[in-house]
Amino acid sequence: MSYPKHIPQGDPQELQRSLSNRHLQLIAIGGAIGTGLFMGSGKTISLAGPSILFIYMIIGAMVFLVMRALGELLLSNLQYKSFIDFSTDLVGPWAGYFVGWTYWLCWVTIGIADLSAIIYYLEFFNGGAFSAAEGVLISVAAILFIMGLNLVTVRLFGEMEFWFAMVKIIAIIVLIAVGLWMVITGFTNEAGTVAQFSNLWAHGGMFPTGFSGFLAGFQIAIFAFVGVELVGTTAAETHDPKRNLPKAINSIPIRIIIFYVLALFVVMSVTPWNQIDPKISPFVNLFSQAGIAAAAIIMNLVVLSSVMSSMNSGVFSTSRMLFGLARDQQAPQQFGKLSKSAVPANALYFSTVCLLAGAALQYFVPNTVEAFTLATTLSTILFICVWIMIMWSYIRYTKLRPELHAQSTFKLPGGVFTCWVVILFFIGTVYILSLEADTFKALVVSPLWFVILAIGYFFYKKKPH
């Protein structure tokens, strides 16, 4: 395993550049392959049919443009450690406060969703549902394990993410290979359906559930992409960001095509969309049909590693956001202190306590799929707000720092026009979330967070700095 021979280290009370290109590339891939792909794609296929392929391509293109804007902003000033810094600098202190705390809550809600997913997949090995008390115990154990990993060093975080992402990549590549083999050999499933590419359009066309079904597929599909901006949160701890950040961002489209579009193209070629059970991962189903005896066990372990990867990224992100907020005096100053391992330990402890409180959700919403849907919808809404703020910051950047924009070697294609297209797209997706009953619940609750933020900012402004 090769590490860079020399990574410059600075002030011991500042974040260190300990992550190599190898770590950054796999963190970017891991962020692009979310729990939503493994756990949510069955439900999305049942809602949208084969049009899910277009949904992933559209969302993927928009998220890629957000990442290009993020990359140009971070590289325009290497003093920017995350979105908090450039939002504060370009839009105002309130924007940094809003983005930092909202992104923190994004990952806390994802952590809660991940706890539901962990319990859901462990039930496979248990042979049945866990009691509420057992669910809470499993949640606590998972949270403490992830906290322990993050407390040691940033390098260990990068190493764990490297291997978590590697597991996901290998699983999807094997799935694509097995699926293509089944199509080429004309495999016939238990329902008597032959695996062939025409299965994509032979059961009602590419839009079998109509335009309303196409729109309904967006919620889980967007959630599958959350975390892709994690590359931006790791920028302050990445060796040689000017070279490594553009490489990681530019490779996002090819990952989306391989890991989302091609994988689901193969899945729906083997099993027509209307034969896919929304409650079972289509990935598990495909391997089971192929006659691989241990398929369900292997894929459940893969999905568990994917969920642990998501939680690992989440705890990392929340601690860095609180660290940045504390440094800008927008959070308690204790969160701005680093341990001997250059890790913001106090911020880590606080995020962990909040996740432990989230574990109590298992008592109040014992239906893990319902809990997962509620938490993922809320986090999706909050992530959309963060992505819109990144684009707004970019618009401000072109007005306030035209000279930096002019000399940038990593420009956002289309500039300000692209920003407005992306912003309007994400506002439209928030409207789409209001169309489904289960996602509408989380949409109704989300304004409460903005009220809490406004009250918090009012008191923050009154404090002397």
Side-chain angles (χ1 to χ4, degrees), residues 213-231:
F214 175 69
L215 292 180
F218 272 82
Q219 185 267 329
I220 299 171
I222 285 190
F223 177 71
F225 285 94
V226 302
V228 73
E229 72 299 308
L230 184 64
V231 173

Side-chain angles (χ1 to χ4, degrees), residues 184-227:
I184 291 164
T185 58
F187 176 86
T188 305
N189 68 15
E190 292 174 359
T193 306
V194 179
Q196 52 194 346
F197 293 131
S198 60
N199 282 335
L200 272 170
W201 56 84
H203 299 268
M206 294 299 288
F207 294 84
T209 57
F211 189 62
S212 60
F214 175 69
L215 292 180
F218 272 82
Q219 185 267 329
I220 299 171
I222 285 190
F223 177 71
F225 285 94
V226 302

Side-chain angles (χ1 to χ4, degrees), residues 13-37:
Q13 278 307 305
E14 293 295 335
L15 297 173
Q16 306 299 307
R17 297 196 180 275
S18 305
L19 296 175
S20 67
N21 178 52
R22 176 175 67 90
H23 294 131
L24 191 68
Q25 292 293 332
L26 269 290
I27 286 168
I29 294 175
I33 309 171
T35 310
L37 176 63

Side-chain angles (χ1 to χ4, degrees), residues 8-9 17 47 56 76 89 113 171 181 204 218 286 313 321 333 389 396 402 411 420 424 433 448 459:
Q9 302 297 310
R17 297 196 180 275
L47 291 170
Y56 277 123
S76 70
D89 185 34
W181 171 80
F218 272 82
L286 187 141
S313 301
M321 283 297 124
Q333 294 306 292
M389 283 301 299
R396 295 284 296 160
K411 286 188 172 73
W420 285 114
L424 289 172
L433 294 176
L448 181 63
F459 287 108

Side-chain angles (χ1 to χ4, degrees), residues 21-105:
N21 178 52
R22 176 175 67 90
H23 294 131
L24 191 68
Q25 292 293 332
L26 269 290
I27 286 168
I29 294 175
I33 309 171
T35 310
L37 176 63
F38 290 108
M39 189 167 177
S41 52
K43 183 182 177 184
T44 318
I45 290 169
S46 70
L47 291 170
S51 66
I52 186 178
L53 302 178
F54 302 116
I55 292 171
Y56 277 123
M57 283 191 274
I58 293 166
I59 298 171
M62 294 299 166
V63 170
F64 172 64
L65 293 171
V66 172
M67 291 303 297
R68 283 297 300 252
L70 175 65
E72 184 179 342
L73 286 168
L74 288 171
L75 294 175
S76 70
N77 181 353
L78 291 181
Q79 295 304 308
Y80 291 153
K81 298 291 190 289
S82 68
F83 353 113
I84 295 177
D85 296 337
F86 63 65
S87 300
T88 302
D89 185 34
L90 299 166
V91 181
W94 71 268
Y97 178 88
F98 172 82
V99 167
W101 278 109
T102 300
Y103 194 67
W104 172 83
L105 184 65

